[in-house]
Amino acid sequence: MIESAAAHKTLDLIAIGRSCVDLYGQQIGCRLEDVATFAKSVGGCPANIAIGTARLGLRSALITRVGAEQMGGFIREQLVREGVVIDGVRTDKERLSRLVVLAVQAEGVSPTIFYRADCADMALDESDIDEALIARSRAIVVTGTHFSKPNAAAAQAKAIALAKRRDAQIVFDIDYRPNLWGLAGHEAGFARYVKSEAVSTRLSAVLPDCDLVVGTEEEIMIAAGADSVLDALRAIRAKSNAIIVLKRGALGCVVYGGPIPESLEGGIVGKGFAVEVFNVLGAGDAFMSGFLRGWLRGESLSTCATWANACGAFAVSRLLCSPEYPTWSELRHFLDHGSREPALRKDAALNHIHWATTRRRDMPRLMAFAIDHRVQLEELTEDEGDVTRISAFKVLAVAAARRVANGRPGFGMLLDDKYGRDALFAAGAGQDLWVARPIELPGSRPLQFEFSQDLGSRLIEWPVDHCVKVLCFYHPDDDPALKAMQTAKLITAFEATRKIGREMLVEIIASKAGPLDDDTIARALTELYDAGLKPDWWKLEPQSSAAAWKAIDQVIAARDPLCRGVVLLGLEAPIERLDESFAAARCAERVRGFAVGRTIFAEAADRWMKRQISDEAAIEAMAKKFGALVDLWLSFDRRPTG
C-alpha cells in the first residue's frame, strides 16, 4: 500500500507503451475470415489501463506514440473523453497507428491479427520520456511488450530511473504476447506462451526495480525463466521485494506480499466471480485497473484483489476491451448488489449505469434550435410545389444556430432525415453542435416510425454522437390499449438505441390528448419508467405550476437519477409566452434547457419560401430569435456550462 501523495503529485499513475485501434468482429462464434462488420475501440495494454483506471476515479496519464492520421486522432480524442491526461502522447508523422483485428470464435478462442509493421507505438524512445511528467506521478506502469524493442526498452528504462529518482512506485505488467516478440507467426496473435530464454533474460532484469509485479501463470513463468509457477514465484522473490499478483482467470488471483508459500493458495486469495466468459481479451488490463484503484488508494491487498477480479469479470462478459470496463459507480453497484445475470452484459441495471456514466460528452445545459419539422414546412411550399427548398432552408437554419453558438458548448439542433440531409452534413462539419434526429411518423397516434419500423438497420448509419428523438402524443388517461401500443413502440426504440449505442430523447406531448394537471406529466413519466424506458433526455411541454415541476423532478430523481434532464418545447408560442415558461421552470432542478422550433423559424421560413427575403436575411432573422431565447434562458439558468 502507498502513503498519501505529496502535493506536487498531480497524477496517480502513468502507463507506458502500447496503444492501438482494436477492430472487433461483431459476429460472434465465427472465424475471422467470416466476420462482416467490426466495432472500433482504443486498445493496447497501457492504453487500456490508463482508461480503466480513469474510469475508476484515478488521475491517469499515458505515454505512447500514435500516427498522424485519423486513427491516431481517434486514440487521442477517446483518451481525452475518458479523462486520461495525454501530455505524454506523441504524434509520429512517419509511422501509422497500430491496428488489431480480432474475433470471438468460441469461448476463450479469439483469433487476432496485429498490424504492426514499423508502427507508431513501438517507435517510442527515450526522447518521449519527460522527467517533468514522471515527477508529477505517484506511480508508473511499464509493460512487457515494450521491452521487446531496443528503443522502447530504453524508453521504459529511462522512465524507471526517473521514477526511482522522483519517489514514484514502479508497476510491472508482464503483458507477454509471443507474437509481438517475433516468436510466432502473424496468424498466432492469440498465442499466450512460447518459452524463450532471451525474453526471460530481458524481463527478469526489470524485476529488481519493481514495487508491484502482475501476470498470469504463463507470464510469471516467462518473466522468471522457470518451468513451474511456484518456481517462477520463488525466482521473482529472489530478485525483488515487490508485491506479486498471480492472475488465474476464473479462479481469481493470489497476492504474495512476503515469502512465497509452499502452495499457490498460500498467499492472499482473491476469489473470482462466476460469470459467463464471452471474450477474454483485455480482461487482464481491466484486472490491473481494479487492483491499482485499490492499491493507489491505500486499500488492503484483499480488497485490491476483489476489485481487480470484479473488473476482470466485467471485461470477460462483454465484447470490447476499454469501452466495456466498469466505471466506479458501476463497480460499486456490482459489489453491493451483485447480478442475477451470469452474462453481465445482459444485466439491465448495470448496463444503464455503464451507459449513463460513459456518455461521450458532458451536457449540463442544452439550448437547441429545433427544425426537424416536415409537415409544417411542406405546407409552406404547397403553392409552388417545390419541396427541395425545404432542404435548402434547413441549411440556413444550421448557419443561424452556429452564428448564435459561436463555438460555445451547450448548443444543438433537431434535424430530420427527410429534408435535413444537407443540414445534417452542415451541422456535423464542425463537431460543435449537439444533433438529434426524429424517428416518429409525424402526427402518428398510436406512434409509428417514419420510413421503416426496422430501426436497427436505420440507426447503424447514423453518426455515433447523433441522438435519437421520438415524439409521442401520450396522456396517462388514454385508453389502456392505446397506451400499451405506444409504450411498446417507445420501448422498441429505446432498445434499438441502446443496442446500437445512441442517445435517446423522448418528447411527450399530453396536452393534445387531454387536460394538463399538476400531476399529468409526472404520471405519464412514471408509467413509462415502469415499462422500462430510461431515455437520456425528456422533452416536455411547459408546466403552469411549481407543483407540476416538483412532481416531475421527484419522478426522475427516483426512477433514473442518471437522466441528463429535461428540455422545454415551444409549441410555436411567442417569445413573450416562452419567457413565462422559462421563468416557471426555474424551480425545476431537472430542466436543463430548451428545444424550440417554430418560434424561431416560422416567420423567416414563410417569407423566404415566398422569396421575399434573401438567404442572409433569413439567417439573421432566425439567429436574432434564437439568440433572444438563449439570452432569456441564461438569465434564468445559472448552472455552469461544463
Side-chain angles (χ1 to χ4, degrees), residues 115-180:
Y115 289 83
R116 57 182 294 273
D118 196 27
C119 57
D121 64 339
M122 292 302 294
L124 198 73
D125 64 29
E126 292 179 86
S127 68
D128 297 309
I129 307 300
D130 176 32
E131 182 171 4
L133 181 61
I134 300 294
R136 291 166 54 189
S137 186
R138 299 170 58 206
I140 66 168
V141 181
V142 295
T143 50
T145 297
H146 261 59
F147 288 109
S148 65
K149 299 290 183 183
N151 54 290
Q156 292 202 125
K158 179 181 177 181
I160 290 171
L162 291 174
K164 293 173 69 175
R165 184 187 308 169
R166 294 291 188 165
D167 196 29
Q169 303 290 309
I170 297 164
V171 180
F172 183 23
D173 189 319
I174 300 171
D175 180 39
Y176 182 45
R177 297 291 184 272
N179 176 276
L180 301 183

Side-chain angles (χ1 to χ4, degrees), residues 18 43 56-57 82 258 269 361 479 499 510 533 563 575 596:
R18 286 196 287 150
L56 295 175
E82 296 283 2
V269 176
R361 62 169 125 175
D479 178 80
K499 184 70 174 179
L533 187 68
C563 177
I575 289 181
V596 173

Side-chain angles (χ1 to χ4, degrees), residues 459-505:
L459 299 182
I460 195 68
E461 298 179 354
W462 288 19
V464 69
D465 55 356
H466 281 194
C467 179
V468 176
K469 172 255 176 181
V470 56
L471 163 60
C472 185
F473 297 99
Y474 184 101
H475 196 286
D477 295 331
D478 282 338
D479 178 80
L482 173 61
K483 289 200 295 183
M485 285 189 286
Q486 302 236 96
T487 301
K489 210 68 174 175
L490 287 170
I491 293 298
T492 295
F494 174 67
E495 290 175 347
T497 59
R498 285 294 177 272
K499 184 70 174 179
I500 215 72
R502 304 294 187 272
E503 290 197 22
M504 184 180 190
L505 179 152

Side-chain angles (χ1 to χ4, degrees), residues 280-300:
V280 298
L281 296 174
D285 306 333
F287 177 99
M288 175 68 94
S289 299
F291 197 94
L292 289 175
R293 160 71 203 219
W295 191 60
L296 290 169
R297 292 292 175 89
E299 300 289 345
S300 68

